[in-house]
Amino acid sequence: VILVMAAALWGLNSLRGHGYGTMVKTYIRYWLNPVDLDKYEPLDEGMAEWLKEDTLLAHAMGGIDESDYTNSLEAFGKAYENGFRVYEVDLVVTKEGEVVCSHEYLDKNGEVMEYASFMQEKIEGKYTPVDLKKMMDLMETYPDVYIMTDIKWDNSMGSSNEDVITLVSALVEEARIRETEDILDRMIIQIYNPKSYEIMQSIYPFQHYVYTLYHYASPIYEEILGFCLENKLPVVAMETGRISEDIVEYFNAWNIDVLVYTVNDETMANQLREYGVKGIYTDWLVPECEEE
């Protein structure tokens, strides 16, 4: 019996981060409480004011030179110069509880990175790291910029997601300290399941959300659609492998826009646009024209 329990625990642990936990919980919720779409009306058009026709989003603040995922000051500046106004930014918590813009949260030794070390060392030897305060500085300096959060959630059973709560609470606190709480109206919070939305709402009533589906090994689109309609969430995001014209039409019929990540090929981007995709996360594509 002990061996069987140990094997079961090992199996569950091996599935962490692959979306299977979310898949199981979703199917259980769906079976116990099927979605009744008949009780909903399509959302109002244009609810996502930050999302214009054919919006390109600077993935990890955009690529620079031949480097991606830098989330650096230089990447931000290059993307802005190229016409980007919506930035997807990776946010993590350091060992001391400070928030920094980084795709990685472990240092070279596999330990949770320290704030001072991260800020003092150039990214790839040449790019300037950005912390929460600097990110807020940029939002104050560039009032036409929106920041979309990419936060690492622990999707395993029983996780308290303390780092997520610390991180988002720090965003709110920093805005209030600066007496610029309106900055939070230009934050676009990516959520990954109903629980993550509940946690975000308990911290602050953010205006903008994107329901991102990469935590789902096998999403039930009807269940996701029902949640979006119930909570007035007008944008979903998914990877290219899940996109089809039918899927985009399914959400668009309810005035829910679809974003796709991450695309760096213009031919593929054009095909997605033909499907009706509203926005594309990219490292290297450049907006043709950005309305001011």
Side-chain angles (χ1 to χ4, degrees), residues 11 51 85 110 178 222 236 241 250:
L51 186 57
R85 295 298 180 266
R178 293 167 179 249
E222 186 178 33
V236 298
Y250 180 71

Short mmCIF file of all heavy atoms in Angstrom, two decimals, residues 11 51 85 110 178 222 236 241 250:
data_model
loop_
_atom_site.label_atom_id
_atom_site.label_comp_id
_atom_site.label_asym_id
_atom_site.label_seq_id
_atom_site.Cartn_x
_atom_site.Cartn_y
_atom_site.Cartn_z
N GLY A 11 3.57 10.24 -9.37
CA GLY A 11 2.90 10.48 -10.63
C GLY A 11 2.23 11.84 -10.67
O GLY A 11 2.33 12.57 -11.65
N LEU A 51 -7.02 46.94 -26.95
CA LEU A 51 -6.82 46.01 -28.06
C LEU A 51 -7.45 46.58 -29.32
O LEU A 51 -8.67 46.58 -29.48
CB LEU A 51 -7.44 44.65 -27.70
CG LEU A 51 -7.21 43.50 -28.69
CD1 LEU A 51 -5.73 43.26 -28.91
CD2 LEU A 51 -7.87 42.23 -28.16
N ARG A 85 2.85 49.39 -28.29
CA ARG A 85 2.27 50.10 -27.15
C ARG A 85 1.74 49.12 -26.09
O ARG A 85 1.39 49.55 -24.99
CB ARG A 85 1.14 51.04 -27.60
CG ARG A 85 1.63 52.18 -28.49
CD ARG A 85 2.63 53.09 -27.79
NE ARG A 85 3.09 54.18 -28.62
CZ ARG A 85 4.20 54.16 -29.36
NH1 ARG A 85 4.98 53.06 -29.37
NH2 ARG A 85 4.56 55.19 -30.09
N GLY A 110 20.81 27.50 -9.59
CA GLY A 110 19.52 26.86 -9.36
C GLY A 110 18.80 27.35 -8.12
O GLY A 110 17.81 26.75 -7.69
N ARG A 178 3.03 56.00 -5.07
CA ARG A 178 3.31 57.08 -6.03
C ARG A 178 2.11 58.01 -6.21
O ARG A 178 2.23 59.02 -6.92
CB ARG A 178 3.67 56.47 -7.39
CG ARG A 178 4.96 55.70 -7.43
CD ARG A 178 5.07 54.89 -8.71
NE ARG A 178 6.33 54.17 -8.75
CZ ARG A 178 7.33 54.45 -9.59
NH1 ARG A 178 7.22 55.42 -10.47
NH2 ARG A 178 8.45 53.75 -9.56
N GLU A 222 -16.21 25.51 -24.23
CA GLU A 222 -17.53 25.94 -23.76
C GLU A 222 -17.45 26.41 -22.32
O GLU A 222 -18.06 27.42 -21.95
CB GLU A 222 -18.53 24.79 -23.89
CG GLU A 222 -19.96 25.20 -23.55
CD GLU A 222 -20.95 24.05 -23.71
OE1 GLU A 222 -20.54 22.89 -23.47
OE2 GLU A 222 -22.09 24.32 -24.08
N VAL A 236 -9.35 36.18 -24.79
CA VAL A 236 -8.66 34.93 -24.46
C VAL A 236 -7.39 34.86 -25.28
O VAL A 236 -7.27 35.49 -26.34
CB VAL A 236 -9.54 33.69 -24.73
CG1 VAL A 236 -10.79 33.70 -23.88
CG2 VAL A 236 -9.90 33.57 -26.21
N GLY A 241 -0.81 26.23 -31.88
CA GLY A 241 -1.24 24.86 -32.13
C GLY A 241 -2.71 24.62 -31.84
O GLY A 241 -3.28 23.61 -32.29
N TYR A 250 -15.79 30.88 -32.94
CA TYR A 250 -16.58 30.48 -31.77
C TYR A 250 -16.57 31.58 -30.70
O TYR A 250 -17.61 31.96 -30.16
CB TYR A 250 -16.00 29.19 -31.21
CG TYR A 250 -16.71 28.64 -30.00
CD1 TYR A 250 -17.98 28.08 -30.10
CD2 TYR A 250 -16.10 28.65 -28.74
CE1 TYR A 250 -18.65 27.56 -29.00
CE2 TYR A 250 -16.75 28.14 -27.63
CZ TYR A 250 -18.02 27.60 -27.76
OH TYR A 250 -18.65 27.09 -26.66
#
